[in-house]
Amino acid sequence: MVRFLVLLVLALSTPASAQQEARQLFGAKTGPSFQESASHGGYAKGCLAGAARLNESGTTWQAMRLSRNRNWGHPELIDFIQDLSAKAARQPGWAGLYVGDLSQPRGGPMKSGHRSHQIGLDVDIWMLPPKSLNLSSNEREKLSSISMRRAKGAFTNSSWTRAHHEIIKAAASDRRVARIFVFPGAKVQMCKDEKGNRAWLNKIRPWYGHHYHFHVRLSCPRGMRGCVDQAAPPPGDGCADAQDWVDNILNPPPPNPNAKKAKPRRELVLADLPRECAGVLQSR
Ligand SMILES: [Zn+2]
C-alpha cells in the first residue's frame, strides 16, 4: 500500500513527458491556461491557450452535457455561437440553440468522442429545436438530440424542417466559418431547396454521422500564426459530390479486393503537438 502511494505521488509529480499520451495530459486539465488566447496547430493535432468559456446558459442558448467540461473555445468561437443562437431564435419553434461539444479547457486530444475539436474552433450544434432554455444541469445530461436521417443518411426524415436549412445556411454564410459537416442526405436536401444564392453551399461538407448534430468549423482567426487551416473545399456548390455520397449509400460499391487495410492510428503523444502545447499544459 505504501509502495503504491509512493508510486502514485511520483506519477502525479513527474512533469509531462513528451512521450505521454496527449489525451491523458489534456483530459486531466479542468481549467484554461492563463495565457493570451491562441489556437496552436491543426483541428486534429493541436491545443488551445487562454480559452474562453461558453456560459452554461444565455438568452438564446444552453450548453449541454456540462459534466464533459467541453464548453471552451477560442473567443471568436464563443462570439460566433452567441451570434448564431440569436439568429436561430428567430426561427419558428426554436428558442435558440442547444450547444454540444466545443473543446476541453486547454484543447488537445480527448479521451473520448472526437479526433478534431482540439484548437477551440470546432463546435457541435444539436439538431433538436430547443423548446426550453431552462433545463437544469441534470436535464442537460439526460436529454438527447434527435436524428434527422432516413435510409442510413441518404435522405432527411420528417423531423427535418426549413428552419434547419435556414440555421445551417446562416452558419455557412458567416465569414468566420470554414466548413460545416453534416450527413449527405441533408446536403442534398438543402441543394434542392435553395432557390436563392447558392454560394454558402460550398462550405457544407457531407460526412459520416452528423445526423444528431451539425459540426461548425471556424477558420483560423486572422493573423494567428501557428494555427493551421484546412484546405478550402473545392470550388462550386458541391451538390454533385453530395449526390455521389447518397448514391454510394443506396448502392454501395462492391468491396475492392485490392484495398489496403487502414493502419490502426497511434495515439498522439505530447511530442506530436506543436511545441507551444507543452507551455499550455504547464501554465497555471
Ligand atoms: Zn464535432
Side-chain angles (χ1 to χ4, degrees):
M1 185 62 190
V2 172
R3 225 166 74 186
F4 169 77
L5 281 175
V6 168
L7 283 173
L8 184 71
V9 168
L10 271 176
L12 291 173
S13 58
T14 309
S17 130
Q19 293 311 316
Q20 270 180 282
E21 276 191 9
R23 60 178 181 169
Q24 304 294 345
L25 298 169
F26 283 92
K29 294 294 179 185
T30 55
S33 71
F34 287 81
Q35 294 174 301
E36 201 180 321
S37 299
S39 300
H40 297 295
Y43 302 94
K45 196 188 274 191
C47 63
L48 173 63
R53 182 169 165 276
L54 177 70
N55 283 340
E56 293 177 0
S57 301
T59 46
T60 49
W61 76 87
Q62 285 203 288
M64 306 300 283
R65 302 284 190 272
L66 298 172
S67 64
R68 293 157 74 105
N69 195 26
R70 291 177 180 172
N71 51 328
W72 299 86
H74 187 280
E76 197 160 300
L77 181 66
I78 307 303
D79 288 347
F80 164 78
I81 294 167
Q82 296 181 3
D83 293 348
L84 184 66
S85 72
K87 292 173 191 164
R90 296 202 282 270
Q91 291 297 322
W94 291 68
L97 293 176
Y98 287 149
V99 181
D101 285 358
L102 288 63
S103 292
Q104 302 179 127
R106 301 188 189 201
M110 300 180 189
K111 291 181 193 168
S112 68
H114 309 273
R115 279 226 311 132
S116 63
H117 290 250
Q118 293 190 22
I119 54 175
L121 298 174
D122 292 287
V123 58
D124 290 336
I125 310 275
W126 282 25
M127 295 282 197
L128 177 70
K131 287 191 178 36
S132 155
L133 292 176
N134 298 313
L135 300 181
S136 67
S137 49
N138 190 38
E139 287 168 319
R140 298 185 216 194
E141 299 295 325
K142 299 271 160 62
L143 183 68
S144 290
S145 187
I146 50 170
S147 173
M148 297 285 127
R149 80 174 181 180
R150 182 162 64 79
K152 296 184 175 154
F155 304 103
T156 52
N157 63 24
S158 59
S159 299
W160 178 265
T161 62
R162 182 71 192 197
H164 290 90
H165 177 113
E166 295 299 338
I167 292 165
I168 292 173
K169 177 178 180 174
S173 304
D174 191 302
R175 32 171 292 279
R176 293 168 289 196
V177 170
R179 66 220 297 139
I180 294 172
F181 300 103
V182 72
F183 68 99
K187 166 124 192 192
V188 168
Q189 189 66 46
M190 290 187 280
C191 286
K192 281 186 188 143
D193 291 342
E194 181 55 57
K195 305 296 182 216
N197 183 346
R198 303 176 69 77
W200 61 276
L201 287 165
N202 174 261
K203 293 186 193 170
I204 310 294
R205 306 294 289 162
W207 202 244
Y208 308 97
H210 295 91
H211 51 106
Y212 286 91
H213 68 261
F214 60 97
H215 174 150
V216 181
R217 171 167 293 170
L218 301 195
S219 303
C220 288
R222 273 179 86 101
M224 179 149 289
R225 289 182 56 208
C227 177
V228 183
D229 275 306
Q230 195 177 353
D237 63 17
C239 290
D241 173 54
Q243 187 60 52
D244 286 345
W245 276 74
V246 166
D247 294 344
N248 279 329
I249 293 171
L250 296 174
N251 293 303
N256 175 356
N258 302 319
K260 284 204 195 112
K261 251 208 180 147
K263 266 197 218 152
R265 263 196 206 108
R266 179 175 67 77
E267 290 298 339
L268 294 174
V269 297
L270 184 55
D272 293 321
L273 304 184
R275 208 166 27 86
E276 292 84 354
C277 294
V280 170
L281 280 174
Q282 276 158 22
S283 160
R284 74 177 175 87

